[in-house]
């Protein structure tokens, strides 16, 4: 699927990861997760909005019962470093202490938001905590944070599609593309 070129105004520069590549990798990741967590209480948690499409596809690639949950979080920073203060504007309904938790993220860029959210969830004593991210942009990292399962590594470019936006647009592209304003 492609947008009408007039509507994207030449801003979608290049497809970096195709729809087929994304779907294939998600199926493989779903199989790995199912093998590792089978028989255990599993809760997938994603931070809105960027990971909503990844969450929808990943949970359907997992062939065992699991719960899903969503959070809205904003982190505050003093200068360039994370204050570690996360403002949760919408919290999980589940008590994570009863679950093995996997955070499902769209992209790890500086790592600040996810680092804060991971700290917060860890403090609630889940049975275990792992991070799955669709995209990893390691060149941009300012806090130490690694995903347990990164699906794709991308260079230091601004990307859109498959849930990721620029000014709230382009989340509905089925692939990951380089955005050039
Ligand atoms: P950080 O890791 O705390 O810097 O923030 C990561 C968040 O910034 C992601 O969850 C995205 O919502 C957003 N973000 C970072 N890089 C990009 C990009 O290339 N395109 C679109 N959104 C991005
Ligand atoms: Mg995000």
């Amino acid at each position: 699927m492609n947008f009408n070129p007039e509507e994207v105004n030449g801003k979608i520069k290049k497809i970096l990861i195709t729809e087929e590549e994304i779907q294939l990798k998600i199926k493989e990741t779903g199989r790995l997760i199912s093998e590792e967590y089978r028989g255990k209480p599993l809760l997938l948690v994603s931070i809105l909005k960027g990971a909503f499409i990844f969450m929808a596809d990943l949970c359907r690639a997992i062939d065992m019962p699991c719960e899903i949950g969503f959070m809205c979080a904003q982190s505050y920073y003093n200068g360039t470093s994370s204050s570690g203060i996360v403002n949760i504007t919408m919290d999980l309904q589940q008590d994570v202490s009863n679950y093995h938790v996997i955070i499902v993220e769209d992209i790890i860029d500086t790592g600040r938001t996810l680092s804060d959210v991971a700290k917060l969830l860890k403090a609630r004593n889940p049975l275990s905590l792992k991070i799955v991210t669709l995209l990893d942009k390691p060149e941009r990292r300012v806090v130490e944070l690694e995903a347990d399962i990164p699906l794709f590594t991308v260079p230091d470019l601004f990307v859109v599609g498959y849930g990721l936006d620029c000014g709230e647009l382009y989340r509905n592209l089925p692939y990951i593309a380089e955005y050039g304003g």
Side-chain angles (χ1 to χ4, degrees), residues 73-94:
Q74 286 167 334
S75 298
Y76 292 108
Y77 301 102
N78 36 17
T80 55
S81 64
S82 171
S83 63
I85 299 167
V86 202
N87 183 28
I88 304 297
T89 54
M90 186 185 88
D91 205 344
L92 284 171
Q93 286 155 353
Q94 295 91 341

Side-chain angles (χ1 to χ4, degrees), residues 48-108:
L48 293 171
K49 305 177 196 170
F52 80 109
I53 293 179
F54 180 36
M55 172 67 121
D57 284 344
L58 182 64
C59 74
R60 285 178 294 175
I62 295 174
D63 65 352
M64 55 168 270
C66 67
E67 292 189 31
I68 63 165
F70 295 96
M71 290 172 87
C72 264
Q74 286 167 334
S75 298
Y76 292 108
Y77 301 102
N78 36 17
T80 55
S81 64
S82 171
S83 63
I85 299 167
V86 202
N87 183 28
I88 304 297
T89 54
M90 186 185 88
D91 205 344
L92 284 171
Q93 286 155 353
Q94 295 91 341
D95 171 358
V96 302
S97 68
N98 298 320
Y99 297 92
H100 293 273
V101 173
I102 301 179
I103 300 177
V104 178
E105 182 58 308
D106 54 350
I107 184 167
I108 306 182

Side-chain angles (χ1 to χ4, degrees), residues 18-58:
T18 66
E19 184 175 2
E20 291 72 26
E21 288 171 319
I22 295 171
Q23 294 303 331
L24 200 71
K25 196 82 180 171
I26 288 178
K27 296 254 154 56
E28 188 188 314
T29 306
R31 269 197 302 274
L32 285 175
I33 291 174
S34 310
E35 272 171 30
E36 188 173 337
Y37 290 89
R38 194 168 302 285
K40 297 176 180 169
L42 175 62
L43 171 63
L44 306 175
V45 174
S46 81
I47 319 299
L48 293 171
K49 305 177 196 170
F52 80 109
I53 293 179
F54 180 36
M55 172 67 121
D57 284 344
L58 182 64

Side-chain angles (χ1 to χ4, degrees), residues 50 77 105-114 137 140-141 157-160 164-166 171:
Y77 301 102
E105 182 58 308
D106 54 350
I107 184 167
I108 306 182
D109 187 41
T110 65
R112 284 175 175 143
T113 310
L114 197 52
K137 223 195 258 181
R140 294 259 309 163
R141 204 76 94 252
L157 298 169
F158 197 80
V159 297
V160 294
L164 289 106
D165 72 308
C166 180
R171 293 190 196 274

